[in-house]
Amino acid sequence: LPKVAKEHGEARRRQIVDAAYRCFARKGFHQTTMRDIYEEADLSPGAVYNYFKGKDEIIRASFDLDLGRSQGILAEAMGSADPLGALADLVGFFFQGLAEAAEIGAGRVNVQGWGEALINPPLLQTFRQTMGSVGEILAQVVRRAQQAGQLDPDLDPAAVSQLLLSLYYGLELQKALNPDLDVGRYTAAAKALLRSAARHT
Amino acid sequence: LPKVAKEHGEARRRQIVDAAYRCFARKGFHQTTMRDIYEEADLSPGAVYNYFKGKDEIIRASFDLDLGRSQGILAEAMGSADPLGALADLVGFFFQGLAEAAEIGAGRVNVQGWGEALINPPLLQTFRQTMGSVGEILAQVVRRAQQAGQLDPDLDPAAVSQLLLSLYYGLELQKALNPDLDVGRYTAAAKALLRSAARHT
Amino acid sequence: LPKVAKEHGEARRRQIVDAAYRCFARKGFHQTTMRDIYEEADLSPGAVYNYFKGKDEIIRASFDLDLGRSQGILAEAMGSADPLGALADLVGFFFQGLAEAAEIGAGRVNVQGWGEALINPPLLQTFRQTMGSVGEILAQVVRRAQQAGQLDPDLDPAAVSQLLLSLYYGLELQKALNPDLDVGRYTAAAKALLRSAARHT
Amino acid sequence: LPKVAKEHGEARRRQIVDAAYRCFARKGFHQTTMRDIYEEADLSPGAVYNYFKGKDEIIRASFDLDLGRSQGILAEAMGSADPLGALADLVGFFFQGLAEAAEIGAGRVNVQGWGEALINPPLLQTFRQTMGSVGEILAQVVRRAQQAGQLDPDLDPAAVSQLLLSLYYGLELQKALNPDLDVGRYTAAAKALLRSAARHT
DNA sequence: TATGAATGAGTATTCATTCAT
DNA sequence: CATGAATGAATACTCATTCAT
């Protein structure tokens, strides 16, 4: 029974967060009212409050996403024998993921989330953590690429990792503001750039 | 005297927008109340409404910034005899500008502005216009660099220009979320990357 | 149980409209604030808005009155074998009703309602509908009185019906502006006038 | 000089009241803002306040109309050798006057004025005075018609005078709510009614 | 747990009026 | 007298949250 109850609770939370997510993508966090959320979720106001303390918690929950799917490819990249190639793979994987996630409005929610994070400390933590850990992994891969002689050893691994993050976030932003943007061409250019950065021996 | 009146009006509008800007940087657009704004501006509520129709107009006015200062260097870059070098200069100029603007909270306001633009059509226009025109200039410079043999002619100029924009916006984002970020190192890495992309003849 | 909920809702709406009505009689529509209304109704502001979209809807609801009580006597008049006598009865009934309604301030609200209707289209519809349908019934009774030889067949039934409406509205107005007015004497004179209009055969 | 000044002042007051009147006819007293008034009058806000203490005074001034034009015919009626005929003439004169005044929106302003008077004591006085003095004159004419054997001596003169006022105000109301109303037919019916009330000797 | 009526602090905005120039 | 920028009290309405059922 407790297990069933727990599963039920998880399902309800998911139902609420999903509904909220759709609202957020459409109207933004602060234009979305609790009413929007519980109507989109087909629930009563009280029901929502049985699962979340308030709107803020729902916003935060919208970003407690499974970095899980990405974890695998990131770990793989760190261990790859061809670090530079792994970076290119990451670019392909993440940029393409962006294009797919755009369909559920993820880009719209994320871009708004950045702004929200600036005035919402707990959310800021979430974002910094994600960016921080991914950034460290990227820096590590860059470092390994340097050790493998694939990249100029004078490059600043941390800064390069930030550049790579910028290519990702910048794409997410530009794609959100202009959905017509062609992710494929963008990705191709990014890979070309990466290739050209390879050490010419 | 109409001229005096006009100047006075402009000054007041500036006073209000500046006050609002500080509030926005601190608390976000929607957490900032009109009261916050007119108190920060040391005005009465009515006074603010004499110059702006409402909050929305103030938000929009906060982004009607003078692209003017940048116009010069962009034009110069387009005409430069060393397009690739000009690109590096642009990177230096704009990234450094970002660091300076951070002091007045511009980064914080801009990042929030992106999110706002997604649910605020007039603001979206403003952003798309800015990004569009700067993007075209960059693409043009890239094209000229290719013609000058400085860059691989197979590169997609539009996509490269988007990458460059990403480096800029991504920096603005990362700097806003983490003010400790070292813009100098980031800029150096970007320039190194650009150099490595130069055609090796 | 939906039925209970519906009854509850109706009761609340009534409670609000009644409270508003008292305020309107006292201070007029536009001098009455929503605060006046929800305090008079002993409710919170939000509660009022759960039942009415806004002040305008409350004003309109104040005039969605049951023409029901009158419907009976009007129908009866239309079918009466003594149409002229029926008209006199209507005069007695309605003018007396006016005197009674004055106690709840109905006259005051109605007089203000006429003015409001001039600048409030939906309300205008309400008034025109009521006046129109009552007017048609009166014209019909007049016509029947003419056919029965009780009234001069040369009289314009529609115009006579307008005269009768004027006697009613004019009384409501004069009584509202001067509560001392003696409705009994006014009614007696109206009946005498009606009698004198009877065809002298 | 003082005379010129006074004339100037009067002209300005008239200019303001006329402008206000147009606004009132259009939007009602309380929907009309002082801004509406001084813009319609092509004046500055301060200018208006140089001639009127405030909005309320302008409203009141809108009803301080020249009963003058009517005074003549009323006096004449009181002295007429054919009082009943005089009553019919009054009906013709005033009802027709209503039709003409409708063009400047007088009906709309008056109907709204009745409602306003109910919550505006000084205005109430104005209305009661006008109605009272006209009513007394009418009662007097009725009394003289009775003495002349033209009307049943059992009729209540005061009540009959109220009925006559009702025919007037009721017409004004119905015409305001329904501008299509045919004043000619209404007047004809009123005169016919009056004729039928004449004593049949 | 679920419901949804009720709460009430909070917010944007208006507008009659003033007064320094 | 004229101007019109400034004032600020007042107002309609919202919406996150609660709690009795």
Side-chain angles (χ1 to χ4, degrees):
Chain A
L1 284 171
K3 188 182 174 188
V4 168
K6 200 160 195 181
E7 279 174 6
H8 173 75
E10 270 313 304
R12 273 269 188 276
R13 286 181 66 94
R14 187 55 167 261
Q15 172 185 3
I16 292 165
V17 171
D18 284 353
Y21 204 89
R22 290 190 294 273
C23 297
F24 294 158
R26 243 183 272 137
K27 310 177 55 177
F29 303 117
H30 299 291
Q31 273 55 36
T32 294
T33 68
M34 285 302 274
R35 180 175 181 156
D36 288 327
I37 295 174
Y38 61 71
E39 283 186 349
E40 174 86 23
D42 238 332
L43 289 172
S44 66
V48 170
Y49 282 88
N50 279 333
Y51 296 95
F52 292 94
K53 276 202 169 165
K55 195 174 163 181
D56 224 62
E57 200 173 301
I58 300 179
I59 294 177
R60 257 175 284 136
S62 297
F63 291 98
D64 286 341
L65 292 178
D66 42 356
L67 198 57
R69 272 175 48 217
S70 320
Q71 214 76 54
I73 196 166
L74 285 169
E76 202 179 322
M78 274 182 52
S80 169
D82 172 14
L84 195 61
L87 277 181
D89 290 347
L90 287 179
V91 163
F93 176 80
F94 280 105
F95 291 12
Q96 200 53 41
L98 227 40
E100 286 158 13
E103 286 166 31
I104 59 164
R108 295 177 61 86
V109 176
N110 280 328
V111 171
Q112 294 183 69
W114 303 336
E116 178 67 16
L118 292 176
I119 55 172
N120 188 332
L123 196 58
L124 182 59
Q125 282 317 310
T126 301
F127 274 96
R128 292 181 61 152
Q129 248 162 36
T130 304
M131 288 176 53
S133 51
V134 173
E136 276 177 29
I137 292 172
L138 291 176
Q140 186 58 30
V141 178
V142 167
R143 231 172 271 117
R144 295 198 63 244
Q146 290 175 316
Q147 289 160 2
Q150 296 180 304
L151 280 177
D152 181 345
D154 290 339
L155 281 173
D156 180 341
V160 170
S161 128
Q162 287 163 349
L163 291 177
L164 289 169
L165 284 176
S166 282
L167 292 185
Y168 177 77
Y169 291 120
L171 171 58
E172 186 157 40
L173 171 62
Q174 293 183 66
K175 177 81 179 162
L177 292 177
N178 174 20
D180 291 338
L181 184 145
D182 187 330
V183 175
R185 284 170 62 190
Y186 183 98
T187 305
K191 286 185 176 175
L193 196 72
L194 211 55
R195 262 196 311 276
S196 74
R199 207 177 185 182
H200 303 275
T201 52
Chain B
L1 300 175
K3 190 178 170 188
V4 168
K6 199 159 193 181
E7 278 173 6
H8 174 81
E10 272 312 304
R12 272 270 184 277
R13 284 179 68 92
R14 187 55 163 265
Q15 172 185 2
I16 292 164
V17 170
D18 284 353
Y21 204 89
R22 292 190 292 274
C23 296
F24 294 158
R26 238 182 276 136
K27 311 176 55 175
F29 303 117
H30 299 291
Q31 274 55 37
T32 295
T33 68
M34 285 303 279
R35 179 173 183 163
D36 288 329
I37 294 174
Y38 60 71
E39 283 186 349
E40 175 84 24
D42 232 335
L43 288 171
S44 64
V48 171
Y49 284 90
N50 280 337
Y51 296 94
F52 293 94
K53 274 200 170 170
K55 196 174 162 181
D56 224 62
E57 198 173 302
I58 301 180
I59 293 178
R60 258 176 283 138
S62 297
F63 290 98
D64 285 341
L65 293 179
D66 43 352
L67 196 58
R69 272 177 46 218
S70 320
Q71 214 75 53
I73 195 165
L74 285 169
E76 200 177 325
M78 271 180 57
S80 170
D82 173 14
L84 195 61
L87 278 180
D89 289 348
L90 288 178
V91 162
F93 176 80
F94 280 104
F95 290 14
Q96 200 51 40
L98 228 41
E100 287 158 15
E103 284 166 34
I104 59 165
R108 294 177 61 86
V109 176
N110 280 328
V111 171
Q112 294 182 69
W114 303 336
E116 178 66 16
L118 291 177
I119 54 171
N120 188 331
L123 197 57
L124 181 59
Q125 284 314 313
T126 301
F127 274 97
R128 290 180 62 151
Q129 246 162 36
T130 304
M131 289 177 51
S133 51
V134 174
E136 277 176 30
I137 292 174
L138 292 177
Q140 186 58 29
V141 178
V142 167
R143 234 173 270 120
R144 294 199 65 244
Q146 291 175 313
Q147 289 160 359
Q150 295 180 308
L151 280 178
D152 181 345
D154 290 339
L155 280 174
D156 180 342
V160 171
S161 126
Q162 286 162 350
L163 291 177
L164 290 169
L165 284 176
S166 282
L167 292 185
Y168 177 76
Y169 291 119
L171 171 57
E172 188 157 38
L173 171 62
Q174 293 182 66
K175 178 79 178 165
L177 293 175
N178 175 21
D180 292 339
L181 183 145
D182 186 329
V183 175
R185 285 172 61 192
Y186 183 98
T187 306
K191 286 186 175 176
L193 196 71
L194 210 54
R195 260 194 312 277
S196 74
R199 209 176 185 185
H200 303 275
T201 53
Chain C
L1 299 175
K3 191 180 170 188
V4 167
K6 200 160 196 180
E7 277 172 9
H8 174 78
E10 272 313 305
R12 271 273 185 274
R13 284 179 70 92
R14 186 56 163 262
Q15 172 185 0
I16 292 165
V17 170
D18 285 353
Y21 205 89
R22 291 190 294 272
C23 296
F24 294 158
R26 238 184 275 136
K27 312 177 55 177
F29 303 116
H30 299 290
Q31 275 54 37
T32 294
T33 67
M34 285 303 278
R35 180 174 181 163
D36 288 329
I37 294 175
Y38 60 72
E39 283 186 349
E40 175 85 24
D42 233 337
L43 288 172
S44 64
V48 170
Y49 284 92
N50 279 337
Y51 296 95
F52 293 94
K53 274 200 168 172
K55 196 174 162 181
D56 223 62
E57 198 173 301
I58 301 181
I59 293 177
R60 257 176 283 138
S62 298
F63 291 98
D64 285 341
L65 292 179
D66 41 355
L67 196 59
R69 270 177 49 218
S70 320
Q71 214 76 52
I73 196 167
L74 285 169
E76 203 177 324
M78 272 180 55
S80 169
D82 173 15
L84 195 63
L87 278 181
D89 289 347
L90 287 179
V91 163
F93 175 80
F94 280 105
F95 291 13
Q96 201 52 40
L98 228 41
E100 287 158 13
E103 286 166 31
I104 59 165
R108 296 176 61 86
V109 176
N110 280 328
V111 171
Q112 294 182 70
W114 303 336
E116 178 67 15
L118 292 176
I119 55 173
N120 188 332
L123 197 57
L124 181 60
Q125 283 315 312
T126 301
F127 274 98
R128 290 180 63 150
Q129 246 163 36
T130 304
M131 289 178 50
S133 50
V134 173
E136 276 176 30
I137 292 173
L138 291 177
Q140 187 58 29
V141 178
V142 167
R143 231 173 270 118
R144 294 199 67 244
Q146 292 175 314
Q147 289 161 358
Q150 295 180 310
L151 281 177
D152 181 344
D154 290 338
L155 281 173
D156 181 341
V160 170
S161 128
Q162 287 164 351
L163 291 176
L164 291 169
L165 284 176
S166 282
L167 292 185
Y168 177 77
Y169 291 120
L171 171 57
E172 188 158 38
L173 171 62
Q174 293 182 65
K175 178 78 179 165
L177 293 175
N178 174 20
D180 291 338
L181 183 146
D182 187 330
V183 175
R185 284 171 62 191
Y186 182 98
T187 306
K191 285 185 175 175
L193 195 73
L194 210 56
R195 262 196 310 277
S196 74
R199 207 174 186 188
H200 303 277
T201 52
Chain D
L1 284 171
K3 191 182 171 188
V4 167
K6 200 161 194 178
E7 278 173 7
H8 174 75
E10 271 313 304
R12 272 267 188 278
R13 284 180 66 93
R14 187 53 165 261
Q15 172 185 2
I16 292 165
V17 170
D18 285 353
Y21 204 88
R22 289 190 294 272
C23 296
F24 294 159
R26 245 184 271 136
K27 311 177 54 178
F29 303 116
H30 299 291
Q31 273 56 37
T32 294
T33 68
M34 286 301 277
R35 181 176 181 155
D36 288 328
I37 295 175
Y38 62 72
E39 284 187 348
E40 175 85 25
D42 238 330
L43 289 172
S44 66
V48 171
Y49 281 90
N50 279 334
Y51 297 95
F52 292 94
K53 277 201 167 166
K55 194 174 164 182
D56 225 62
E57 201 174 298
I58 301 180
I59 294 176
R60 259 176 281 136
S62 296
F63 291 99
D64 287 340
L65 292 178
D66 44 352
L67 197 58
R69 271 176 47 215
S70 319
Q71 215 76 54
I73 196 169
L74 285 169
E76 200 178 324
M78 273 181 56
S80 169
D82 173 13
L84 195 61
L87 278 181
D89 289 348
L90 288 179
V91 163
F93 176 79
F94 279 105
F95 290 14
Q96 201 52 40
L98 226 41
E100 287 158 12
E103 285 166 31
I104 59 165
R108 293 177 62 87
V109 176
N110 280 327
V111 170
Q112 294 182 68
W114 304 336
E116 179 66 16
L118 292 176
I119 55 171
N120 188 333
L123 196 58
L124 182 59
Q125 284 315 312
T126 301
F127 274 97
R128 290 180 63 150
Q129 250 163 33
T130 303
M131 289 176 52
S133 51
V134 173
E136 276 176 29
I137 292 173
L138 290 177
Q140 187 57 32
V141 178
V142 167
R143 235 173 266 119
R144 294 199 62 245
Q146 290 174 316
Q147 289 161 0
Q150 294 180 308
L151 281 177
D152 181 345
D154 289 340
L155 281 174
D156 180 340
V160 170
S161 124
Q162 287 163 350
L163 291 177
L164 290 169
L165 285 176
S166 282
L167 292 185
Y168 177 77
Y169 291 120
L171 171 57
E172 189 157 37
L173 171 62
Q174 293 182 67
K175 179 78 178 165
L177 292 176
N178 174 20
D180 291 337
L181 184 145
D182 187 330
V183 175
R185 284 170 63 190
Y186 182 98
T187 306
K191 286 185 175 176
L193 196 72
L194 211 56
R195 262 197 310 279
S196 73
R199 205 176 188 184
H200 302 275
T201 52

